[in-house]
Each structure stands twice: as structure tokens, then as C-alpha cells.
Amino acid sequence: MKDPYGNSRRFYVNQVGPMIKEKFGPYEDRIAVGIAGEGSDCFGYDDFISRDHDFGTGVCLWISDRDMEIFGNRLKEEYDELVKRQPGNNLTVRLSQRRGVMTIHDYYSNILGIDCDTDNCSLSEMDWRRLDHTCLATAVNGEVFRDDLGDFSAFRKLLLDYYPDNIWKMHIVNELHKFSASLQVNYARCMTRGDIVAARLCHMQGLEAGMELYFLMKKKYAPYYKWTFRRLSELDDNGRYSSLIKELAMENLDYSLWEGQEYRPNILNMDDPIIMLTERIAGCIVAELRKLGFTDSQDPYLEFYVNTVLDSMN
């Protein structure tokens, strides 16, 4: 299997690591190195198309605020010299800021958009409430090649351990409601009215909620939207859920299946493939809710479970 971080790993092993050992020997065990953060390469998703912008070999070197004062600028200079000598690099200012020498505090704070307490390795409940899944996925992607002190990895583990229980459940509640309202209620209303634009919005919002619910059930952070389905497919061992999501995404709106129909909230128009796929996906979500101990029911109407999950919160 191809190493998704092979270029960065080789750059570290062959050039960055020896440079650190030679010129920063006394501080070698204080420098964490890896590849993580913003950019498709940090998710292991770089391909030929990715090379049209912000492309180049590099690694991140994470150090404490104190060590930045002691040797950070010198380390930056030496690292930048190595990067300049790499053939084929097309480093914009933006990409250069994502790689190279940075403090542990600045790495996490810049990605998460909050002032992270990396010294005490803690996040308040208010901090957790302000974070969304895309920034969290970005903060913990990639791979850490070396971290002798463990300070960078400790905060990474705090994030990887996932949302606090009540915040996790509130996210589930929000996505259950979003999926149910958009695809199990409003889609049929909009199609009955002939409002195709609104129906398409329902289709897309439900699709998004269906994917986010899968990540929440698995306690994984969903990445940036263009990589969400790819990551979901990787997590979906048997491929059933991802196949249903793909089918739902590919379905076109067919108004002919709704012409002349009266709106009947308790009767599903199973002639419409979008309705059929919605119910199959909802059934999979309910099965996951059962596995997690939220319910014993098999009712596919997801709004039914909003109060169930709310009642389980502390």
C-alpha cells in the first residue's frame, strides 16, 4: 500500500532529521516533526490535480513558545534553506505558512480559531461548542513522525478522543433534525408544490446531514466538504452506507412522479427514488443508534429520536 505521506517522510528522514541532529543537537528531542494541518496532502489525498496550486514537499516542526525564543528563528532559517533546494516545489506564501517551524500553541489555535491552552492540554466546554468538525479534522489529520516530549501529541489526543458526551449528542440531535426535516418532510412538500429549487435544496441538505450523521456515529470528524465522501467511503468497511449516499447524490429530481398528487404527510411516495433512498439511509442510521444504546426502536423517522437523544444527556 502506498504511503500517503511518503514524500514528507523521506524529506524528514533524509534531510530535515539530519539537519536537526547536526545543527540543533542539544534541542533535537524538543522538536516534534510531522505532516498535519491544512492541505489535501495532510489528509493523504494529494494527486496530480492537486499540483495546480500550493504544491511542494515539506514538513511541520512544532516547538514550545519558550523554544521558539531560544532557537526558533535559527531553525526556521535552516529549514527554509532545505526547502528552497527541493526540485519541483511551488510553494506559495500560504503553503509556506502551513509548513515549517511553528509553536504548538499557534498550530492548534490558528486551525481551531480559538486560543488553545496547549500548556495544560485542556479545552473548556465553551471552546468545544465553538469548534466545528472540519477544523477538528484538519487539526488531527496527517502523521506525527517524532515527538519525544509528547506535548504536541498530548493535545492531538485530547482532540482525537472526540467531543465531550453532551456536545456529541447535541450534534447528533441537530443532524437528525436536519436530515428528517429536509428529506423526510420538506422534500415531499416542495415536490408536491412543484417548487423544484427548494426541493433540490432539501435534497442537498439531507445528503450533507446523512454523511455527517455517519461520522458522528463512528466518532470521527468529517473533513472539508470536498473530501467528506472520500473519507466516509474509507470508514465504511462493507460499503453499504457509502453506496446509498452515492446513489442519493446521483438521483435527479423527477417532477413527473409528483404531478397531480395531493400532499399526504403520512404516505410516502416510494415511486420517487429519492424517497426510497432516504428511508434506506434512515434505516441504517437507526441501526447505528441502536448499537450505541440510544433506542430499541426500528422506526426510520429520524425526528422521532431527537427527544430520545436529548433525554440521554446529563
Side-chain angles (χ1 to χ4, degrees):
M1 183 177 179
K2 183 180 178 181
D3 181 357
Y5 310 112
N7 288 338
S8 295
R9 193 190 310 279
R10 285 187 290 273
F11 181 47
Y12 165 62
V13 171
N14 296 330
Q15 298 188 57
V16 178
M19 177 273 289
I20 291 173
K21 192 174 192 65
E22 176 188 352
K23 299 186 177 182
F24 299 89
Y27 305 112
E28 183 179 6
D29 62 357
R30 303 187 63 80
I31 303 169
V33 185
I35 180 72
E38 295 181 346
S40 56
D41 55 331
C42 296
F43 285 100
Y45 294 158
D46 245 355
D47 56 21
F48 182 77
I49 296 174
S50 305
R51 300 183 183 189
D52 67 343
H53 71 292
D54 285 350
F55 177 76
T57 299
V59 294
C60 302
L61 297 90
W62 300 289
I63 59 178
S64 69
D65 290 351
R66 177 60 178 154
D67 285 343
M68 180 63 81
E69 295 176 3
I70 296 172
F71 63 88
N73 287 333
R74 288 190 293 120
L75 184 60
K76 282 183 179 181
E77 291 173 1
E78 296 293 342
Y79 173 82
D80 289 346
E81 282 301 312
L82 286 182
V83 171
K84 287 178 184 177
R85 297 198 291 268
Q86 298 309 300
N89 269 3
N90 180 27
L91 299 180
T92 62
V93 172
R94 186 182 181 195
L95 183 59
S96 297
Q97 291 171 346
R98 297 173 177 175
R99 307 289 179 265
V101 182
M102 63 194 80
T103 67
I104 297 169
H105 170 270
D106 286 353
Y107 169 82
Y108 286 113
S109 297
N110 290 339
I111 291 175
L112 299 181
I114 60 174
D115 185 11
C116 294
D117 185 1
T118 52
D119 289 337
N120 295 307
C121 196
S122 67
L123 285 172
S124 68
E125 181 175 332
M126 184 59 68
D127 287 335
W128 277 110
R129 291 184 182 278
R130 292 170 59 189
L131 301 177
D132 65 46
H133 55 82
T134 55
C135 70
L136 286 161
T138 300
V140 300
N141 65 13
E143 187 174 329
V144 180
F145 303 147
R146 178 173 182 175
D147 184 9
D148 293 17
L149 291 179
D151 293 344
F152 180 84
S153 297
F155 202 84
R156 181 180 173 91
K157 183 179 183 302
L158 172 70
L159 302 180
L160 283 169
D161 285 345
Y162 214 60
Y163 297 111
D165 193 60
N166 280 352
I167 293 175
W168 170 57
K169 290 175 180 176
M170 186 54 67
H171 282 298
I172 291 174
V173 164
N174 291 339
E175 298 304 325
L176 287 172
H177 173 72
K178 182 178 175 182
F179 183 94
S180 182
S182 58
L183 278 179
Q184 293 184 304
V185 177
N186 288 326
Y187 173 77
R189 290 177 174 177
C190 295
M191 289 299 282
T192 304
R193 293 188 183 111
D195 191 342
I196 301 300
V197 174
R200 177 61 79 188
L201 290 173
C202 291
H203 183 198
M204 292 298 98
Q205 287 194 15
L207 181 69
E208 182 180 53
M211 289 193 289
E212 177 60 15
L213 279 165
Y214 187 86
F215 283 93
L216 287 164
M217 300 294 106
K218 301 299 182 183
K219 292 194 172 183
K220 302 290 185 181
Y221 301 120
Y224 184 58
Y225 71 90
K226 74 175 180 178
W227 300 122
T228 302
F229 180 71
R230 177 168 177 171
R231 181 61 181 139
L232 188 155
S233 299
E234 293 170 349
L235 294 174
D236 185 16
D237 292 334
N238 62 27
R240 182 188 177 204
Y241 196 87
S242 56
S243 293
L244 291 172
I245 288 292
K246 187 173 183 179
E247 286 183 58
L248 179 61
M250 294 177 67
E251 279 298 336
N252 291 317
L253 273 62
D254 186 350
Y255 181 61
S256 68
L257 300 173
W258 295 83
E259 283 184 305
Q261 291 205 25
E262 295 182 1
Y263 176 62
R264 295 175 291 179
N266 297 320
I267 299 178
L268 301 178
N269 182 0
M270 297 300 283
D271 291 333
D272 188 333
I274 290 178
I275 295 291
M276 180 270 292
L277 288 165
T278 292
E279 295 307 297
R280 291 178 64 188
I281 290 169
C284 293
I285 293 167
V286 173
E288 291 297 323
L289 290 173
R290 288 202 304 274
K291 289 179 185 177
L292 292 167
F294 284 117
T295 183
D296 293 325
S297 174
Q298 297 189 24
D299 190 329
Y301 182 49
L302 296 193
E303 188 69 26
F304 174 78
Y305 302 99
V306 166
N307 285 335
T308 302
V309 178
L310 286 173
D311 290 343
S312 72
M313 295 172 63
N314 299 327

